[in-house]
Amino acid sequence: MINKLKFWKTSKENDALEERINALKELPMPKHVAIIMDGNGRWAKKRALPRVAGHHEGMKRVRRITRLASKLGIEVLTLYAFSTENWKRPKSEVDYLMKLPGEFLGTFLPELKEENVRVQMMGYKDKLPKHTLGAVGKAITETEHNNGLILNFALNYGSRDEIVRAVKNIVHDVKKGKLTEKDITEANFSNYLMSHSLRDPDLLIRTSGEIRLSNFMLWQLAYTEFFFSDVLWPDFNEENLVEAIEVYQQRSRRYGGLKSEGVEE
């Protein structure tokens, strides 16, 4: 009897979520969603588990959220997987984090290919282990002809350094005569960033209750809508993503203009 009640409750909750998902599709959907996946360590600590257990559970959430993003028709999902500052963490934790892309993509890649998802990465490759680069590179190569959701991993990524390197490259091109001062515009500057092939994020989600950007896409987030959730990343589920998009759809994106002038791209 108890099992029947649980099934009825779960079925009813699933139906309610499906209704909310269908309602989302009737309104403008964010084309690019970026997520700062925070709270893995605290999730593990609350359960008296090692921090790596939180990272492992967080990996499972990536799979679920990617599936829903693809179902919703979101064009780009950028996930902040590892920052340039994360190397300061204990070596054992860093070593485990560097193994996660291989573990995740090793099991999820067939589904990504079947669901027409294209894997990309932005970040500095020089410090990443060969096995990490190999796993990501394999996924990028095997999905490069897909034209559905772009699953973009920010891996060994830091926005300030990205901007500094962009400036240096612009200076280099000016000296070489490839650019003039008049050519240096916001649009051209964006072409020197790692995200040059992507539109700027429409919606940024950060989990775990922290309210900061942590050196993530500082240039690209200039007009992005922010959603901060108290939910720790390993607990962040489909309903939480739906809630974030519902909030996004209730906002008026004016890009510095008046409400009557705001145009959703």
Side-chain angles (χ1 to χ4, degrees), residues 160-193:
R160 284 187 172 183
D161 191 60
E162 175 191 32
I163 292 170
V164 169
R165 293 196 190 200
V167 171
K168 288 180 178 178
N169 288 330
I170 288 173
V171 170
H172 176 269
D173 284 352
V174 169
K175 288 182 178 179
K176 291 290 184 178
K178 297 179 180 179
L179 284 179
T180 67
E181 184 179 343
K182 290 182 179 179
D183 294 326
I184 304 174
T185 62
E186 288 188 14
N188 279 344
F189 187 87
S190 294
N191 290 333
Y192 284 83
L193 299 176

Side-chain angles (χ1 to χ4, degrees), residues 3-36:
N3 288 335
K4 287 184 179 180
L5 288 173
K6 286 182 178 179
F7 175 81
W8 180 82
K9 182 180 179 182
T10 301
S11 179
K12 189 174 181 180
E13 289 173 349
N14 289 340
D15 290 343
L17 180 60
E18 197 64 32
E19 288 180 11
R20 291 171 67 186
I21 290 173
N22 291 332
L24 289 182
K25 295 178 180 179
E26 300 298 318
L27 296 171
M29 188 74 64
K31 295 179 174 64
H32 184 173
V33 176
I35 304 180
I36 301 175

Side-chain angles (χ1 to χ4, degrees), residues 107-122:
T107 58
F108 195 29
L109 184 55
E111 183 176 335
L112 292 174
K113 292 163 67 175
E114 185 178 338
E115 294 299 321
N116 199 29
V117 174
R118 178 153 54 105
V119 176
Q120 289 189 5
M121 172 196 153
M122 64 179 193

Side-chain angles (χ1 to χ4, degrees), residues 205-216:
I205 300 170
R206 179 164 189 158
T207 59
S208 86
E210 301 293 350
I211 306 177
R212 56 177 177 269
L213 296 181
S214 296
N215 198 21
F216 182 56

Side-chain angles (χ1 to χ4, degrees), residues 66 70 105-119 138-149 151:
T66 299
S70 180
L105 293 169
T107 58
F108 195 29
L109 184 55
E111 183 176 335
L112 292 174
K113 292 163 67 175
E114 185 178 338
E115 294 299 321
N116 199 29
V117 174
R118 178 153 54 105
V119 176
K138 181 175 185 289
I140 291 173
T141 299
E142 294 191 13
T143 62
E144 62 182 345
H145 298 299
N146 291 350
N147 58 10
L149 170 74
L151 178 58

Side-chain angles (χ1 to χ4, degrees), residues 47-73:
R47 291 160 177 77
L49 297 171
R51 288 178 59 85
V52 294
H55 295 310
H56 182 78
E57 193 65 27
M59 180 185 69
K60 296 179 183 178
R61 292 294 149 166
V62 170
R63 193 167 189 164
R64 292 175 59 172
I65 296 304
T66 299
R67 285 173 179 156
L68 180 54
S70 180
K71 179 180 179 179
L72 289 170

Side-chain angles (χ1 to χ4, degrees), residues 206-262:
R206 179 164 189 158
T207 59
S208 86
E210 301 293 350
I211 306 177
R212 56 177 177 269
L213 296 181
S214 296
N215 198 21
F216 182 56
M217 300 186 82
L218 302 177
W219 175 275
Q220 298 92 329
L221 295 175
Y223 282 102
T224 299
E225 297 295 325
F226 293 173
F227 180 86
F228 296 102
S229 171
D230 290 332
V231 178
L232 301 176
W233 175 248
D235 290 327
F236 193 86
N237 59 24
E238 291 86 346
E239 186 174 355
N240 299 128
L241 179 59
V242 167
E243 178 190 5
I245 296 175
E246 286 173 341
V247 171
Y248 166 87
Q249 291 179 334
Q250 293 167 9
R251 297 178 182 173
S252 174
R253 304 189 72 197
R254 298 188 293 276
Y255 300 95
L258 299 177
K259 184 174 182 180
S260 60
E261 299 171 349

